Amino acid sequence: MAAKKLLILPGDGIGVETMAQVRRIIDWLAKKRQIEFDVSEALIGGAAYDATGTPLPAETLAAAKAADAILLGAVGGPKWDNLPFHLKPERGALLPLRKELELFANLRPAVVFDALLDASTLKPEVISGLDIMIVRELTGGLYFGEPRGIETLPDGQRRGFNTLTYTTSEIQRIGRVAFDLARKRNKRLCSVDKHNVLDCTVLWREEMIKLQQAEYPDVELTHMYVDNCAMQLVRNPKQFDVMVTENMFGDILSDCASMLTGSLGMLPSASLGAVRADGGRPALYEPIHGSAPDIAGKDIANPLATILSFSMCLRYSFDMAAEADLIENAVKAVLKGGLRTADIMQPGKAKVSTTVMGEAIVREMEKLA
Ligand code: NAD
């Protein structure tokens, strides 16, 4: 079988440093497990702008379209803050990349590692063992609906407006991603809407119910209003398994859920496109943090969010659950053993660099394998 094509986009700032640790794992898998990827690397963000005058060069986009999966570090930094909007790293590279690949499903796991229970602002008993997955629709809803704009009314007032729209097919395709995930986990899906106020989410709920009845009778479907959901996420987050919701609701709820775990440096994400005829699908994996210019170049960033993004890639794009488990178990063991990067440092633990953390994960994989 041809090796899977993995495109690595380190980007800017700490993206470069954290991605170097993923490279160690890729090398280990090749050497010790005979798992060879067809790995290539390309420029994106500020680094691409400096080298080519654009944050998303045509070669990078072409490589992204040809890849089986993409692993992204982070983009941006003060050096490029004053560029025109379309050349800024985030606006000029990430948004067009997501749009070109039609990445409509954003997966944000929120997992609490026992060793880091104290990093959360919530009580340990509320979050201990937490493992939930939020599926956010990423290319429709209130952020993209038309008409939108700001207009001047006859009486001289100004009026701003956006439109919340979803078609049945948009609801069905995000619904299938969420139901499929729930089926592989604990078979419970909570669809979050505002059915009591917004017509668009009346349709959302109706379509989710139809989909469950037609294709996923084995998955339990519940519904929750978004305001209640925000409350339940901090009151009793362990009641959830997989959650699916509209773009803006998901933007807010997924950030809220990420803070249950306490640290930006630990959180991976995935964005998926539609399944192609050959069975593959466009997929971009990235940590949720940015390029952290304040700590870039110092070898102190936490590489675990990027490493866990790679394990999501193995699990969801390459069907390599055993290797994904191995990486995740190595992360748990290294944390349990007391190693910490500065962002998750606790009294009595050993503070280590980005590099030492990366090396420790590979050593632990070797031990566990
Ligand atoms: P950020 O996530 O880069 O940093 C926020 C804070 O968290 C900083 O204090 C940083 O040092 C810390 N932090 C983040 N990741 C860390 C890690 N792995 N280990 C240790 N500490 C970590 O967000 P920001 O400061 O708002 O943005 C910085 C730049 O990144 C901006 O140019 C922004 O546009 C860009 N950005 C990019 C992405 C992306 O590439 N997907 C996402 C968010 C922000």
Side-chain angles (χ1 to χ4, degrees):
M1 214 170 65
K4 296 281 188 192
K5 284 200 188 91
L6 176 65
L7 175 66
I8 295 189
L9 304 173
D12 306 315
I14 63 167
V16 177
E17 299 161 57
T18 61
M19 200 60 83
Q21 310 315 314
V22 173
R23 282 285 196 161
R24 287 179 203 284
I25 297 177
I26 292 174
D27 291 346
W28 185 88
L29 288 172
K31 210 155 84 194
K32 299 294 171 78
R33 288 265 168 129
Q34 287 72 50
I35 296 172
E36 296 278 356
F37 297 106
D38 176 357
V39 183
S40 57
E41 198 167 307
L43 291 170
I44 194 166
Y49 174 79
D50 286 349
T52 69
T54 163
L56 183 62
E59 309 86 85
T60 301
L61 184 57
K65 285 182 173 170
D68 291 308
I70 305 162
L71 194 59
L72 173 79
V75 299
K79 187 176 172 195
W80 305 283
D81 276 352
N82 297 322
L83 289 174
F85 225 40
H86 69 288
L87 293 176
K88 280 186 200 259
E90 273 191 279
R91 179 68 201 219
L94 291 190
L95 295 190
L97 186 63
R98 288 176 185 147
K99 191 162 183 271
E100 286 282 335
L101 297 176
E102 285 188 68
L103 302 172
F104 67 89
N106 185 226
L107 277 52
R108 289 265 295 256
V111 175
V112 170
F113 292 92
D114 280 347
L116 297 182
L117 267 183
D118 291 344
S120 175
T121 49
L122 273 79
K123 291 189 187 121
E125 62 268 28
V126 176
I127 51 155
S128 150
L130 180 78
D131 180 354
I132 62 179
M133 174 74 84
I134 299 188
V135 180
R136 165 189 171 195
E137 202 292 328
L138 204 56
T139 53
L142 194 60
Y143 289 171
F144 292 93
E146 298 282 349
R148 59 193 295 171
I150 300 174
E151 64 183 9
T152 303
L153 300 174
D155 68 357
Q157 284 198 83
R158 295 209 300 158
R159 174 175 171 270
F161 53 100
N162 291 85
T163 310
L164 176 58
T165 73
Y166 274 107
T167 60
T168 48
S169 62
E170 285 175 319
I171 299 168
Q172 286 165 353
R173 68 177 186 175
I174 191 72
R176 286 197 180 93
V177 170
F179 276 113
D180 284 339
L181 279 167
R183 192 172 256 170
K184 285 190 187 163
R185 293 169 47 105
N186 294 317
K187 295 195 168 49
R188 289 187 294 117
L189 176 64
C190 179
S191 169
V192 178
D193 60 37
K194 192 70 185 168
H195 180 266
N196 51 347
V197 179
L198 298 171
D199 300 275
C200 180
T201 68
V202 172
L203 179 71
W204 177 283
R205 188 178 289 204
E206 286 173 2
E207 290 302 323
M208 288 294 169
I209 291 171
K210 272 196 224 162
L211 192 58
Q212 191 261 352
Q213 288 171 347
E215 297 176 31
Y216 300 92
D218 55 319
V219 177
E220 178 194 306
L221 174 68
T222 55
H223 308 273
M224 194 178 275
Y225 294 145
V226 62
D227 43 347
N228 183 28
C229 182
M231 200 164 70
Q232 295 300 330
L233 264 179
V234 286
R235 196 185 73 90
N236 177 19
K238 282 188 271 184
Q239 69 186 283
F240 298 108
D241 177 18
V242 179
M243 184 186 292
V244 62
T245 192
E246 184 272 334
N247 200 343
M248 185 177 80
F249 296 166
D251 191 4
I252 298 167
L253 294 176
S254 62
D255 265 22
C256 174
S258 69
M259 278 302 104
L260 300 172
T261 71
S263 172
L264 219 51
M266 295 295 303
L267 295 161
S269 76
S271 301
L272 308 178
V275 178
R276 294 183 300 254
D278 66 2
R281 73 190 320 166
L284 172 76
Y285 298 87
E286 58 183 323
I288 73 159
H289 61 69
S291 58
D294 53 334
I295 58 166
K298 298 183 181 163
D299 196 27
I300 58 174
N302 186 344
L304 295 178
T306 311
I307 288 173
L308 292 169
S309 300
F310 179 58
S311 90
M312 281 187 91
C313 170
L314 296 179
R315 194 181 295 284
Y316 296 117
S317 281
F318 299 155
D319 251 333
M320 294 180 183
E323 285 71 24
D325 287 345
L326 181 61
I327 294 174
E328 286 159 27
N329 288 334
V331 169
K332 280 181 202 157
V334 166
L335 292 172
K336 192 157 175 243
L339 298 195
R340 300 282 187 277
T341 43
D343 58 310
I344 50 172
M345 185 57 192
Q346 294 162 306
K349 306 295 178 193
K351 185 149 83 171
V352 298
S353 66
T354 311
T355 308
V356 171
M357 182 58 94
E359 287 166 352
I361 298 296
V362 171
R363 236 187 350 264
E364 196 61 45
M365 287 173 68
E366 180 84 40
K367 248 197 262 171
L368 294 172

